[in-house]
Amino acid sequence: QTLTTVRIKDKDHITDEYTNVTPKILSYLGRNLHLQKGNPLSIVRQRIVEYFYRRFTHRGKPTFSVYDNLSPVVSTKQNFDDLLIPNDHPSRLKSDCYYINKDTLLRAHMTAHQTELLRSGLDNFLMIGDVYRRDEIDSTHFPVFHQVDAVRSQRKEELFCDKPDLEIFEPEFDSSNPNAFKNSIMDPMKQSCHTLEATKLMESQLKNHLIGLCKALFGENIKHRWVEAYFPFTHPSWELEIYYENKWLEVLGCGIVRNEILANIGPNNSIAYAFGLGLERLAMAMYKIPDIRLMWSTDSGFLNQFQIENINANITYKPVSVYPQCTNDISFWLPETLTVDTFTNNDFYDLVRDVGGDIIEQVKLKDKFIHPKTKKHSLCYSIVYRHLERTLTQAEVNKIHKQIENAVVKNYNVVIR
Ligand code: PHE
C-alpha cells in the first residue's frame, strides 16, 4: 500500500478518501490579502481593529488582542467539535469544505480558533484571516474569503459594575459543577443557565458595538436590520444585514457564546459574546468593488487606487475598464452511476476552476434533463468567462472550454452532447 501526501508549508499530510483540496486552492495559502498594504481587505481590517481599540482602551491598554496570522490548517475538532457542531451537521460535508484528510481541513470560519485562544487564557480578542468554503461561482463568491471573528467576555463585576446585586447565572446553576444542570437553548431569549438581565445586557452591548462599527465604516446613515439566526456555538444568535444598492446584504453572524464552550475549558464565571464578519462583503460595499476576484488582483490599475495614507479616506473604485464576457455552454450525458440529483455541483465547480483559473466569472446550472425514452440523465451548465485585465479572444476561450470538457469527461465518465 502506498500513502500519498500533500505538502503544505513544509509539512506533509497523509491523504485519504476525504481529501479534496486541490493544488489551485492550496496556491491561495500564504497570500494573506488581509495583511497586504494597499489591499482593500487590509484597509477594512485596520479600520475594524482601530474601532475596537478606540472603543475599548482602558488606562492606555487596549482590551482586545489581535490574532491575524494563525495557520488556516485546522483539525475537525477545532473547526467543529469544540464549537458543539453536531456530527451530522451539513457544514461538515465534503461538498462544503476543503479537507486535507478526515481529521484536518482548511478552516471554514475563523471561529475555529475560538476555543484554543480561550484556553490560553484570553477573554477579549479578534481573530482575522483567510477561510475556505466550497460554494457556487459568481461575482460575490470565491472559495477563499476573509473573516474577522471576535470574543468579548465579562465577569459579574465588569458586567454589573453599578448593580452588584445582579447575577450572570441563574441560582439553580452551579458554575463550579456545570454538569449538574443541563443547560438548554429551548427558550429563544436566553440559555437556561444565564439570567435574563445578563443576557439582555450582553445582547445590547453586542448590538451597540456592531452598529457602531457599521456606522464607523459606512457613515451614520447606514440602514440596518437584525435577523434572528441559529449557530450551534451561540444562543441566542442574530445576523446583521445592511441595506446596500436596493438589497439587504448579510454582513455578520453573532450571539451569546454557549456556556458549554466556556465550561469545557475550565472553571467559568463569565458570559461572552462572539461575532464573525466577512471582510469581502464589507469592502465590496464600502468601495463599490463589483467583483470579488478583484481582491486577488495584482494589477497596478486596481491596487494603486487603494494606496492611501489615511485608512479612513473615501475611495470609490473606478473600473480600469470592463472587458467583455464570453459565455460557452457545456452539456453532457451522465454515466448510469449518476443522476441529475446525485451529481455534486461543487465538485464540478472546483474542476472548472482548476482548469480555467480566475478567468471563470460564473458557472450557472442551465438545465437538467431526463430523456423520456432512454432515461439517460443530462446536465447543461453555462460557463461565463471574463478576464479582469484584458479582452479574451473567442479562440482562447474555446481552447480552455475544450480543456474543461476533456477534464469533465475524464473525471466523471460523461459523454459531451
Ligand atoms: N462562524 C460564523 C460564520 O462563519 C459566524 C459567527 C461567529 C457566528 C461567531 C456567531 C458567532 O458564519
Side-chain angles (χ1 to χ4, degrees):
Q1 191 193 359
T2 55
L3 287 177
T4 41
T5 58
V6 277
R7 174 157 274 239
I8 303 171
K9 285 198 196 154
D10 301 327
K11 190 174 178 321
D12 286 324
H13 299 262
I14 292 172
T15 60
D16 60 22
E17 72 286 356
Y18 260 76
T19 309
N20 62 3
V21 284
T22 63
K24 178 84 193 156
I25 291 298
L26 290 175
S27 76
Y28 297 120
L29 270 77
R31 281 286 298 274
N32 288 331
L33 297 185
H34 62 292
L35 301 177
Q36 301 310 313
K37 187 171 183 302
N39 189 289
L41 300 175
S42 173
I43 303 174
V44 182
R45 168 190 59 87
Q46 291 176 70
R47 288 181 63 161
I48 294 171
V49 170
E50 195 188 75
Y51 169 83
F52 280 98
Y53 275 169
R54 215 174 333 110
R55 185 132 192 178
F56 299 106
T57 296
H58 289 295
R59 300 195 203 93
K61 274 205 304 197
T63 38
F64 274 86
S65 9
V66 177
Y67 291 81
D68 56 16
N69 209 0
L70 300 162
S71 167
V73 178
V74 300
S75 62
T76 48
K77 183 172 179 298
Q78 290 172 291
N79 200 84
F80 304 115
D81 306 347
D82 286 349
L83 294 168
L84 317 177
I85 298 178
N87 270 325
D88 58 0
H89 195 271
S91 66
R92 294 187 184 242
L93 288 175
K94 256 180 86 172
S95 60
D96 287 47
C97 300
Y98 288 104
Y99 281 94
I100 294 161
N101 55 43
K102 77 173 195 331
D103 305 312
T104 321
L105 72 159
L106 299 178
R107 64 189 166 209
H109 54 180
M110 287 307 291
T111 322
H113 300 287
Q114 182 176 293
T115 26
E116 69 190 85
L117 292 178
L118 284 167
R119 198 170 288 122
S120 76
L122 295 167
D123 43 17
N124 294 290
F125 51 93
L126 299 173
M127 305 159 264
I128 309 171
D130 40 335
V131 301
Y132 297 76
R133 281 190 212 170
R134 304 184 70 195
D135 212 328
E136 53 222 77
I137 299 184
D138 64 28
S139 65
T140 62
H141 290 87
F142 198 76
V144 192
F145 59 102
H146 297 77
Q147 287 186 321
V148 176
D149 246 63
V151 173
R152 170 169 164 83
S153 343
Q154 290 192 283
R155 283 171 288 110
K156 170 183 152 83
E157 306 80 68
E158 303 162 275
L159 186 64
F160 295 128
C161 53
D162 46 1
K163 297 199 183 92
D165 49 323
L166 293 180
E167 298 288 339
I168 287 178
F169 294 102
E170 290 285 0
E172 316 86 84
F173 180 78
D174 175 1
S175 61
S176 66
N177 182 12
N179 299 327
F181 177 99
K182 174 93 185 68
N183 188 20
S184 135
I185 53 169
M186 291 299 281
D187 180 347
M189 301 264 268
K190 66 180 199 69
Q191 300 175 39
S192 62
C193 69
H194 290 144
T195 62
L196 190 58
E197 292 85 353
T199 310
K200 283 288 170 201
L201 190 49
M202 285 301 281
E203 173 181 342
S204 78
Q205 289 190 10
L206 169 61
K207 290 183 171 175
N208 280 329
H209 295 161
L210 288 170
I211 294 303
L213 174 65
C214 279
K215 291 190 169 162
L217 298 178
F218 290 97
E220 285 296 316
N221 295 327
I222 184 76
K223 234 167 89 179
H224 75 269
R225 69 178 185 198
W226 290 102
V227 180
E228 268 174 49
Y230 169 80
F231 300 103
F233 32 93
T234 51
H235 184 79
S237 309
W238 303 272
E239 277 166 359
L240 176 62
E241 298 183 342
I242 58 170
Y243 199 66
Y244 171 73
E245 289 195 338
N246 308 316
K247 276 201 291 281
W248 286 105
L249 190 68
E250 181 200 317
V251 291
L252 66 85
C254 64
I256 308 297
V257 176
R258 291 267 299 266
N259 190 61
E260 292 86 331
I261 295 179
L262 302 174
N264 279 343
I265 288 162
N268 167 52
N269 52 17
S270 59
I271 182 167
Y273 76 53
F275 66 80
L277 58 81
L279 280 180
E280 274 79 354
R281 285 278 172 90
L282 294 176
M284 288 175 78
M286 284 165 68
Y287 305 128
K288 304 209 170 15
I289 299 172
D291 191 305
I292 193 167
R293 292 174 300 163
L294 283 161
M295 303 296 174
W296 297 86
S297 174
T298 51
D299 184 82
S300 59
F302 177 76
L303 289 173
N304 283 346
Q305 298 191 32
F306 299 93
Q307 299 298 326
I308 43 166
E309 288 308 320
N310 173 6
I311 56 169
N312 296 312
N314 263 325
I315 309 171
T316 300
Y317 170 68
K318 290 173 219 58
V320 192
S321 82
V322 177
Y323 299 96
Q325 292 179 325
C326 187
T327 305
N328 280 17
D329 289 353
I330 177 169
S331 39
F332 44 81
W333 296 109
L334 294 173
E336 270 160 26
T337 48
L338 285 171
T339 71
V340 288
D341 298 312
T342 58
F343 185 78
T344 317
N345 286 326
N346 284 352
D347 289 336
F348 176 68
Y349 299 151
D350 270 323
L351 183 65
V352 173
R353 183 107 62 185
D354 280 349
V355 179
D358 295 351
I359 67 164
I360 307 297
E361 181 169 274
Q362 194 177 3
V363 181
K364 294 181 281 204
L365 178 60
K366 200 169 164 189
D367 190 33
K368 291 182 181 181
F369 171 72
I370 304 176
H371 192 285
K373 291 233 175 63
T374 65
K375 299 281 181 280
K376 280 192 164 189
H377 289 219
S378 146
L379 289 169
C380 179
Y381 293 89
S382 287
I383 304 180
V384 182
Y385 298 85
R386 186 189 338 235
H387 200 293
L388 288 173
E389 282 130 16
R390 64 185 176 81
T391 300
L392 290 170
T393 65
Q394 186 65 49
E396 218 176 340
V397 170
N398 290 349
K399 193 170 149 212
I400 293 161
H401 197 73
K402 187 77 204 156
Q403 287 168 359
I404 292 174
E405 285 185 349
N406 292 343
V408 178
V409 169
K410 189 163 153 239
N411 275 266
Y412 300 114
N413 218 359
V414 304
V415 177
I416 301 289
R417 295 179 61 173

